[in-house]
Amino acid sequence: MKHIISPLDLSVQDIDDILNLSENIITSPEKYAKVCQGKKLATLFYEPSTRTRLSFEAAMMNLGGNVLGFSSADSSSAAKGESVADTIRVISSYADICAMRHPKEGAPLVAAQYSSIPVINAGDGGHNHPTQTLTDLLTIKNLKGRLDNLTIGLCGDLKFGRTVHSLIRAMIRYENVKFVMISPEELRIPDYLKREVLDRENIPYEEVNVLEPVMPKLDLLYMTRVQRERFFNEEDYIRLKDSFILDAKKMKHAREDMLVLHPLPRVNEISTEIDDDPRAVYFKQAEYGVYVRMALIMKLLELDGDC
Ligand code: CP
């Protein structure tokens, strides 16, 4: 049985298969409308979510399956002290597959060790968010036309932003990918990612703290929210939260074909004035999240469109 805890639990071939299946689902959704009939997805969310939880649920419903779960630790027996290990042992007899979000890094990995159903990490602390990465890859492939030969700007909270950490791990497997990391000094990418991922694989990257001068060289700009919930004190959050605000003036420095992605939710880091710019694709990106999660559920349950 396969669990998806890190983006590296999927090979490049697995990712290709999932992206191709997602594209087939977009083209012919009716073909997949009953693939998961009789199957159940459990969404175990110990942390807030709009897109990930609801797109997982929409994905399972689009496949003809059912969903059950909880949307906060407070509404589950975690509030009474139940461990993740005990919870997943029980859920394994209620559902066929589960998606888990947890504030503690490594919690979905612990769940996988005690589970008899596939566990999908739907975000663990500041660590990984592999299904957001699949969403990002589908967006890039479909709207940019390729996953290689890209200069990718990563902007905002690169210290706590798990979507950025997962995206880096996934993108370094494609040819000629370079990163420009744009953040305040205190929110730079963690050292372990530089050492164990970027340096080890000889991936070119630069770190800067001003956005405008690097904009002209970017194929993609991946904006992120400053992660208030991961700060130890509110003062630091307030000081750093508006470090980068992408607006129409800054977009003038970008190429005509540069795409702006954001995993959402957005707070203040992208002005709404650029929402109608054709280069701003973050709402399309959120839509792609449903299709890619449909494809992932099918892959993990070993189902195909002919069932
Ligand atoms: N992108 C993302 O994970 O959004 P949610 O927190 O709303 O799930």
Side-chain angles (χ1 to χ4, degrees):
M1 187 194 8
K2 195 154 171 90
H3 306 285
I4 304 300
I5 305 302
S6 145
L8 299 182
D9 291 333
L10 295 166
S11 66
V12 171
Q13 184 60 55
D14 290 334
I15 289 176
D16 267 4
D17 293 345
I18 290 169
L19 300 188
N20 289 337
L21 179 54
S22 306
E23 281 159 21
N24 289 342
I25 290 169
I26 293 169
T27 312
S28 311
E30 67 291 343
K31 192 175 159 203
Y32 302 91
K34 293 182 180 171
V35 168
C36 279
Q37 237 169 15
K39 303 281 184 196
K40 290 189 284 270
L41 165 77
T43 51
L44 313 181
F45 276 60
Y46 295 83
E47 226 189 22
S49 167
T50 295
R51 270 146 298 276
T52 311
R53 186 171 67 84
L54 297 183
S55 64
F56 261 117
E57 295 188 357
M60 193 51 155
M61 290 179 198
N62 290 348
L63 294 169
N66 289 301
V67 295
L68 66 164
F70 52 83
S71 58
S72 72
D74 287 351
S75 63
S76 79
S77 284
K80 301 176 208 162
E82 185 170 55
S83 67
V84 162
D86 282 1
T87 301
I88 195 65
R89 277 183 165 137
V90 174
I91 299 297
S92 291
S93 64
Y94 296 168
D96 301 283
I97 185 166
C98 99
M100 174 182 285
R101 171 170 290 188
H102 203 288
K104 282 199 185 143
E105 300 177 357
L109 177 61
V110 171
Q113 286 158 356
Y114 290 88
S115 179
S116 55
I117 59 173
V119 174
I120 305 170
N121 178 4
D124 62 327
H127 198 211
N128 273 314
H129 194 346
T131 63
Q132 180 63 48
T133 301
L134 288 173
T135 304
D136 300 340
L137 296 183
L138 182 63
T139 308
I140 297 167
K141 188 176 172 213
N142 270 12
L143 302 183
K144 198 72 193 167
R146 63 183 192 275
L147 290 169
D148 53 10
N149 296 306
L150 291 168
T151 299
I152 304 174
L154 303 166
C155 180
D157 184 349
L158 309 185
K159 179 179 180 186
F160 296 116
R162 60 193 172 202
T163 60
V164 164
H165 302 166
S166 283
L167 186 62
I168 289 172
R169 286 181 194 279
M171 288 303 305
I172 62 163
R173 299 192 288 182
Y174 298 95
E175 288 295 316
N176 192 26
V177 168
K178 302 177 197 140
F179 295 101
V180 182
M181 322 273 197
I182 309 132
S183 72
E185 189 85 28
E186 289 139 291
L187 296 180
R188 284 192 169 177
I189 203 94
D191 282 343
Y192 77 88
L193 268 171
K194 288 186 206 165
R195 249 188 353 260
E196 295 168 22
V197 179
L198 295 165
D199 294 342
R200 184 179 292 172
E201 301 296 328
N202 289 320
I203 306 297
Y205 68 91
E206 60 181 302
E207 293 181 292
V208 299
N209 52 19
V210 186
L211 180 55
E212 291 90 322
V214 297
M215 289 275 272
K217 63 176 145 186
L218 303 180
D219 297 301
L220 302 169
L221 175 59
Y222 194 93
M223 295 296 296
T224 62
R225 170 180 71 92
V226 175
Q227 307 263 306
R228 180 181 205 158
E229 64 276 29
R230 316 239 181 264
F231 274 75
F232 293 111
N233 71 68
E234 184 74 2
E235 275 169 32
D236 285 347
Y237 169 72
I238 290 168
R239 184 168 51 80
L240 294 168
K241 71 184 173 67
D242 292 330
S243 299
F244 298 96
I245 300 175
L246 185 64
D247 56 17
K249 196 167 159 219
K250 290 198 181 80
M251 283 298 283
K252 289 202 172 100
H253 296 269
R255 290 189 203 151
E256 282 306 305
D257 64 349
M258 187 199 80
L259 298 182
V260 182
L261 284 79
H262 191 308
L264 303 179
R266 147 178 72 184
V267 182
N268 206 27
E269 59 280 359
I270 298 182
S271 164
T272 53
E273 71 189 16
I274 71 156
D275 287 355
D276 294 329
D277 186 316
R279 296 171 289 183
V281 298
Y282 27 89
F283 291 115
K284 189 74 186 162
Q285 185 183 356
E287 181 189 329
Y288 281 141
V290 176
Y291 309 124
V292 90
R293 289 181 175 102
M294 288 170 74
L296 180 64
I297 290 168
M298 286 178 61
K299 184 164 181 72
L300 294 178
L301 293 180
E302 298 180 345
L303 301 168
D304 63 41
D306 302 324
C307 301

